[in-house]
Short mmCIF file of all heavy atoms in Angstrom, two decimals:
data_model
loop_
_atom_site.label_atom_id
_atom_site.label_comp_id
_atom_site.label_asym_id
_atom_site.label_seq_id
_atom_site.Cartn_x
_atom_site.Cartn_y
_atom_site.Cartn_z
N GLN K 14 99.17 109.60 91.80
CA GLN K 14 100.29 108.98 92.53
C GLN K 14 100.52 107.55 92.05
O GLN K 14 101.66 107.08 92.00
CB GLN K 14 100.01 109.00 94.04
CG GLN K 14 100.09 110.40 94.62
CD GLN K 14 101.04 110.46 95.81
OE1 GLN K 14 101.95 109.65 95.95
NE2 GLN K 14 100.82 111.45 96.66
N LYS K 15 99.45 106.84 91.70
CA LYS K 15 99.63 105.47 91.18
C LYS K 15 100.40 105.51 89.87
O LYS K 15 101.33 104.71 89.66
CB LYS K 15 98.28 104.78 91.01
CG LYS K 15 98.36 103.27 90.84
CD LYS K 15 98.43 102.78 89.43
CE LYS K 15 97.15 103.01 88.67
NZ LYS K 15 97.20 102.50 87.29
N MET K 17 102.51 107.76 88.90
CA MET K 17 103.89 108.10 89.25
C MET K 17 104.62 106.87 89.79
O MET K 17 105.77 106.60 89.42
CB MET K 17 103.84 109.23 90.29
CG MET K 17 105.15 109.65 90.89
SD MET K 17 105.72 108.63 92.28
CE MET K 17 104.47 108.99 93.54
N LEU K 18 103.95 106.10 90.65
CA LEU K 18 104.60 104.92 91.25
C LEU K 18 104.86 103.83 90.21
O LEU K 18 105.90 103.16 90.26
CB LEU K 18 103.75 104.37 92.40
CG LEU K 18 103.77 105.23 93.68
CD1 LEU K 18 102.71 104.76 94.66
CD2 LEU K 18 105.15 105.21 94.34
N TYR K 21 107.93 104.92 88.40
CA TYR K 21 109.10 104.75 89.28
C TYR K 21 109.51 103.28 89.38
O TYR K 21 110.70 102.94 89.27
CB TYR K 21 108.79 105.32 90.67
CG TYR K 21 109.81 104.95 91.70
CD1 TYR K 21 111.10 105.49 91.67
CD2 TYR K 21 109.51 104.05 92.73
CE1 TYR K 21 112.05 105.13 92.61
CE2 TYR K 21 110.44 103.70 93.67
CZ TYR K 21 111.71 104.24 93.61
OH TYR K 21 112.65 103.87 94.53
N LEU K 22 108.52 102.41 89.58
CA LEU K 22 108.83 100.99 89.75
C LEU K 22 109.39 100.38 88.47
O LEU K 22 110.33 99.59 88.50
CB LEU K 22 107.58 100.24 90.22
CG LEU K 22 107.17 100.54 91.67
CD1 LEU K 22 105.75 100.05 91.96
CD2 LEU K 22 108.16 99.90 92.65
N VAL K 62 101.23 96.89 96.04
CA VAL K 62 101.19 98.32 96.39
C VAL K 62 99.78 98.81 96.14
O VAL K 62 99.25 98.66 95.03
CB VAL K 62 102.19 99.14 95.55
CG1 VAL K 62 102.08 100.63 95.88
CG2 VAL K 62 103.62 98.65 95.74
N LEU K 63 99.15 99.38 97.17
CA LEU K 63 97.78 99.90 97.04
C LEU K 63 97.76 101.35 97.50
O LEU K 63 98.32 101.67 98.56
CB LEU K 63 96.82 99.06 97.90
CG LEU K 63 96.55 97.64 97.40
CD1 LEU K 63 95.86 96.81 98.49
CD2 LEU K 63 95.69 97.69 96.14
N VAL K 64 97.09 102.20 96.74
CA VAL K 64 97.06 103.62 97.06
C VAL K 64 95.62 104.13 96.99
O VAL K 64 94.95 103.92 95.98
CB VAL K 64 97.94 104.46 96.10
CG1 VAL K 64 98.42 105.71 96.79
CG2 VAL K 64 99.09 103.67 95.55
N THR K 67 93.69 107.74 101.88
CA THR K 67 94.48 107.61 103.11
C THR K 67 95.36 106.37 103.13
O THR K 67 96.31 106.30 103.92
CB THR K 67 93.55 107.50 104.33
OG1 THR K 67 92.69 106.37 104.13
CG2 THR K 67 92.72 108.76 104.52
N ASN K 85 99.58 100.01 106.32
CA ASN K 85 99.40 101.40 105.89
C ASN K 85 100.60 102.20 106.40
O ASN K 85 100.82 102.32 107.60
CB ASN K 85 98.09 101.93 106.47
CG ASN K 85 97.69 103.28 105.90
OD1 ASN K 85 97.00 104.04 106.56
ND2 ASN K 85 98.10 103.58 104.70
N VAL K 86 101.36 102.75 105.48
CA VAL K 86 102.66 103.31 105.82
C VAL K 86 102.71 104.80 105.47
O VAL K 86 102.38 105.20 104.36
CB VAL K 86 103.78 102.54 105.07
CG1 VAL K 86 105.10 103.26 105.16
CG2 VAL K 86 103.90 101.13 105.64
N VAL K 87 103.14 105.60 106.46
CA VAL K 87 103.21 107.06 106.25
C VAL K 87 104.58 107.64 106.61
O VAL K 87 104.77 108.84 106.52
CB VAL K 87 102.11 107.79 107.08
CG1 VAL K 87 100.72 107.44 106.57
CG2 VAL K 87 102.24 107.48 108.56
N SER K 88 105.51 106.79 107.02
CA SER K 88 106.84 107.30 107.36
C SER K 88 107.88 106.25 106.96
O SER K 88 107.56 105.06 106.83
CB SER K 88 106.96 107.58 108.87
OG SER K 88 107.01 106.36 109.58
N THR K 89 109.12 106.69 106.82
CA THR K 89 110.19 105.76 106.44
C THR K 89 110.40 104.71 107.53
O THR K 89 110.69 103.55 107.23
CB THR K 89 111.50 106.53 106.18
OG1 THR K 89 111.82 107.33 107.32
CG2 THR K 89 111.38 107.42 104.95
N GLU K 90 110.23 105.13 108.78
CA GLU K 90 110.40 104.18 109.89
C GLU K 90 109.35 103.07 109.80
O GLU K 90 109.64 101.89 110.02
CB GLU K 90 110.29 104.89 111.25
CG GLU K 90 111.42 105.85 111.55
CD GLU K 90 111.22 107.24 110.92
OE1 GLU K 90 110.21 107.47 110.22
OE2 GLU K 90 112.09 108.11 111.12
N PHE K 91 108.11 103.46 109.51
CA PHE K 91 107.03 102.46 109.40
C PHE K 91 107.29 101.53 108.21
O PHE K 91 107.00 100.32 108.30
CB PHE K 91 105.67 103.14 109.24
CG PHE K 91 105.01 103.52 110.55
CD1 PHE K 91 105.75 103.96 111.64
CD2 PHE K 91 103.63 103.43 110.69
CE1 PHE K 91 105.14 104.31 112.84
CE2 PHE K 91 103.01 103.78 111.90
CZ PHE K 91 103.76 104.21 112.96
N ALA K 92 107.81 102.06 107.11
CA ALA K 92 108.09 101.22 105.94
C ALA K 92 109.10 100.13 106.31
O ALA K 92 108.95 98.95 105.96
CB ALA K 92 108.62 102.08 104.79
N LYS K 93 110.15 100.54 107.04
CA LYS K 93 111.20 99.60 107.44
C LYS K 93 110.65 98.56 108.43
O LYS K 93 110.87 97.36 108.27
CB LYS K 93 112.34 100.41 108.07
CG LYS K 93 113.59 99.68 108.37
CD LYS K 93 114.73 100.68 108.62
CE LYS K 93 116.02 100.01 109.06
NZ LYS K 93 116.02 99.66 110.48
N ILE K 104 102.04 97.08 100.78
CA ILE K 104 102.12 98.41 101.38
C ILE K 104 100.92 99.21 100.88
O ILE K 104 100.58 99.15 99.70
CB ILE K 104 103.46 99.12 101.03
CG1 ILE K 104 103.60 100.43 101.81
CG2 ILE K 104 103.60 99.36 99.53
CD1 ILE K 104 104.99 101.07 101.68
N THR K 105 100.26 99.90 101.81
CA THR K 105 99.18 100.80 101.39
C THR K 105 99.59 102.22 101.72
O THR K 105 100.20 102.48 102.77
CB THR K 105 97.82 100.42 102.02
OG1 THR K 105 97.77 100.85 103.38
CG2 THR K 105 97.56 98.92 101.95
N LEU K 106 99.28 103.13 100.80
CA LEU K 106 99.80 104.49 100.87
C LEU K 106 98.68 105.50 100.71
O LEU K 106 97.64 105.21 100.10
CB LEU K 106 100.82 104.71 99.75
CG LEU K 106 102.03 103.78 99.75
CD1 LEU K 106 102.74 103.86 98.41
CD2 LEU K 106 102.96 104.10 100.90
N SER K 107 98.93 106.70 101.20
CA SER K 107 97.98 107.80 101.05
C SER K 107 98.34 108.67 99.85
O SER K 107 99.45 109.21 99.78
CB SER K 107 97.97 108.65 102.32
OG SER K 107 97.28 109.87 102.07
N GLY K 108 97.37 108.82 98.96
CA GLY K 108 97.56 109.73 97.83
C GLY K 108 97.23 111.17 98.17
O GLY K 108 97.58 112.08 97.42
N ARG K 109 96.53 111.37 99.28
CA ARG K 109 96.08 112.72 99.63
C ARG K 109 96.92 113.39 100.71
O ARG K 109 96.95 114.61 100.79
CB ARG K 109 94.61 112.69 100.09
CG ARG K 109 93.65 112.40 98.96
CD ARG K 109 92.21 112.57 99.36
NE ARG K 109 91.33 112.32 98.22
CZ ARG K 109 90.16 111.69 98.28
NH1 ARG K 109 89.71 111.25 99.44
NH2 ARG K 109 89.44 111.50 97.19
N PHE K 110 97.56 112.61 101.55
CA PHE K 110 98.26 113.19 102.71
C PHE K 110 99.77 112.94 102.71
O PHE K 110 100.46 113.43 103.59
CB PHE K 110 97.64 112.67 104.02
CG PHE K 110 96.19 113.03 104.15
CD1 PHE K 110 95.20 112.12 103.80
CD2 PHE K 110 95.81 114.29 104.59
CE1 PHE K 110 93.84 112.46 103.90
CE2 PHE K 110 94.47 114.64 104.69
CZ PHE K 110 93.49 113.72 104.34
N THR K 111 100.23 112.17 101.74
CA THR K 111 101.67 111.92 101.64
C THR K 111 102.16 112.42 100.28
O THR K 111 101.55 112.11 99.25
CB THR K 111 101.97 110.41 101.77
OG1 THR K 111 101.38 109.92 102.98
CG2 THR K 111 103.47 110.15 101.83
N GLU K 112 103.24 113.17 100.30
CA GLU K 112 103.80 113.73 99.06
C GLU K 112 104.35 112.61 98.17
O GLU K 112 104.86 111.60 98.69
CB GLU K 112 104.93 114.72 99.39
CG GLU K 112 104.47 115.98 100.09
CD GLU K 112 103.46 116.78 99.25
OE1 GLU K 112 103.65 116.86 98.02
OE2 GLU K 112 102.50 117.29 99.83
N PRO K 113 104.28 112.78 96.86
CA PRO K 113 104.77 111.74 95.94
C PRO K 113 106.21 111.32 96.19
O PRO K 113 106.52 110.13 96.13
CB PRO K 113 104.64 112.39 94.56
CG PRO K 113 103.63 113.47 94.72
CD PRO K 113 103.69 113.93 96.14
N GLU K 114 107.07 112.26 96.49
CA GLU K 114 108.49 111.92 96.72
C GLU K 114 108.63 110.98 97.90
O GLU K 114 109.41 110.04 97.87
CB GLU K 114 109.33 113.19 96.98
CG GLU K 114 109.39 114.17 95.83
CD GLU K 114 108.09 114.94 95.61
OE1 GLU K 114 107.29 115.09 96.58
OE2 GLU K 114 107.84 115.36 94.47
N LEU K 115 107.86 111.26 98.97
CA LEU K 115 107.92 110.39 100.14
C LEU K 115 107.33 109.02 99.82
O LEU K 115 107.89 107.99 100.21
CB LEU K 115 107.21 111.03 101.35
CG LEU K 115 107.20 110.20 102.63
CD1 LEU K 115 108.61 109.79 103.06
CD2 LEU K 115 106.51 110.97 103.77
N ASN K 116 106.23 108.98 99.08
CA ASN K 116 105.65 107.68 98.73
C ASN K 116 106.63 106.83 97.92
O ASN K 116 106.72 105.61 98.12
CB ASN K 116 104.33 107.85 97.97
CG ASN K 116 103.13 107.90 98.92
OD1 ASN K 116 103.19 107.40 100.04
ND2 ASN K 116 102.05 108.51 98.48
N ARG K 117 107.36 107.47 97.02
CA ARG K 117 108.38 106.72 96.26
C ARG K 117 109.40 106.11 97.22
O ARG K 117 109.79 104.95 97.08
CB ARG K 117 109.12 107.65 95.29
CG ARG K 117 108.48 107.73 93.92
CD ARG K 117 109.45 108.26 92.89
NE ARG K 117 109.85 109.62 93.16
CZ ARG K 117 109.23 110.70 92.68
NH1 ARG K 117 108.19 110.56 91.90
NH2 ARG K 117 109.65 111.91 92.97
N GLU K 118 109.84 106.90 98.19
CA GLU K 118 110.83 106.44 99.16
C GLU K 118 110.25 105.31 100.03
O GLU K 118 110.95 104.33 100.33
CB GLU K 118 111.28 107.63 100.01
CG GLU K 118 112.34 107.34 101.06
CD GLU K 118 113.68 106.91 100.48
OE1 GLU K 118 113.83 106.81 99.26
OE2 GLU K 118 114.59 106.63 101.29
N LEU K 119 109.00 105.44 100.42
CA LEU K 119 108.36 104.40 101.25
C LEU K 119 108.31 103.08 100.49
O LEU K 119 108.59 102.02 101.05
CB LEU K 119 106.95 104.84 101.66
CG LEU K 119 106.86 106.13 102.50
CD1 LEU K 119 105.41 106.43 102.86
CD2 LEU K 119 107.72 106.06 103.75
N VAL K 120 107.97 103.15 99.21
CA VAL K 120 107.92 101.92 98.40
C VAL K 120 109.32 101.34 98.24
O VAL K 120 109.51 100.12 98.34
CB VAL K 120 107.27 102.21 97.02
CG1 VAL K 120 107.47 101.04 96.07
CG2 VAL K 120 105.79 102.49 97.19
N ARG K 121 110.31 102.20 98.00
CA ARG K 121 111.69 101.70 97.85
C ARG K 121 112.12 100.94 99.11
O ARG K 121 112.62 99.81 99.03
CB ARG K 121 112.65 102.87 97.60
CG ARG K 121 114.07 102.42 97.30
CD ARG K 121 115.06 103.57 97.29
NE ARG K 121 115.26 104.20 98.59
CZ ARG K 121 115.95 103.68 99.60
NH1 ARG K 121 116.51 102.50 99.48
NH2 ARG K 121 116.07 104.32 100.76
N ILE K 122 111.88 101.53 100.27
CA ILE K 122 112.28 100.88 101.53
C ILE K 122 111.50 99.58 101.72
O ILE K 122 112.07 98.55 102.10
CB ILE K 122 112.05 101.84 102.73
CG1 ILE K 122 113.00 103.03 102.62
CG2 ILE K 122 112.22 101.11 104.06
CD1 ILE K 122 112.64 104.18 103.56
N PHE K 123 110.21 99.62 101.43
CA PHE K 123 109.36 98.43 101.57
C PHE K 123 109.89 97.28 100.70
O PHE K 123 109.90 96.12 101.12
CB PHE K 123 107.92 98.80 101.17
CG PHE K 123 106.99 97.65 100.99
CD1 PHE K 123 106.53 96.91 102.08
CD2 PHE K 123 106.54 97.28 99.73
CE1 PHE K 123 105.66 95.84 101.92
CE2 PHE K 123 105.67 96.23 99.55
CZ PHE K 123 105.24 95.50 100.64
N LEU K 124 110.35 97.59 99.50
CA LEU K 124 110.82 96.53 98.60
C LEU K 124 112.23 96.05 98.95
O LEU K 124 112.56 94.90 98.69
CB LEU K 124 110.77 97.02 97.15
CG LEU K 124 109.36 97.31 96.63
CD1 LEU K 124 109.43 97.88 95.22
CD2 LEU K 124 108.48 96.06 96.67
#
Side-chain angles (χ1 to χ4, degrees):
Q14 289 233 25
K15 196 268 292 182
M17 174 277 293
L18 287 169
Y21 169 70
L22 289 166
V62 177
L63 289 167
V64 207
T67 58
N85 189 207
V86 168
V87 294
S88 72
T89 54
E90 292 83 359
F91 274 36
K93 189 164 175 280
I104 187 171
T105 77
L106 301 165
S107 167
R109 289 189 178 141
F110 299 97
T111 306
E112 293 300 321
E114 297 72 25
L115 179 55
N116 270 336
R117 270 199 295 269
E118 181 65 0
L119 300 181
V120 168
R121 185 190 67 74
I122 293 167
F123 169 71
L124 295 176

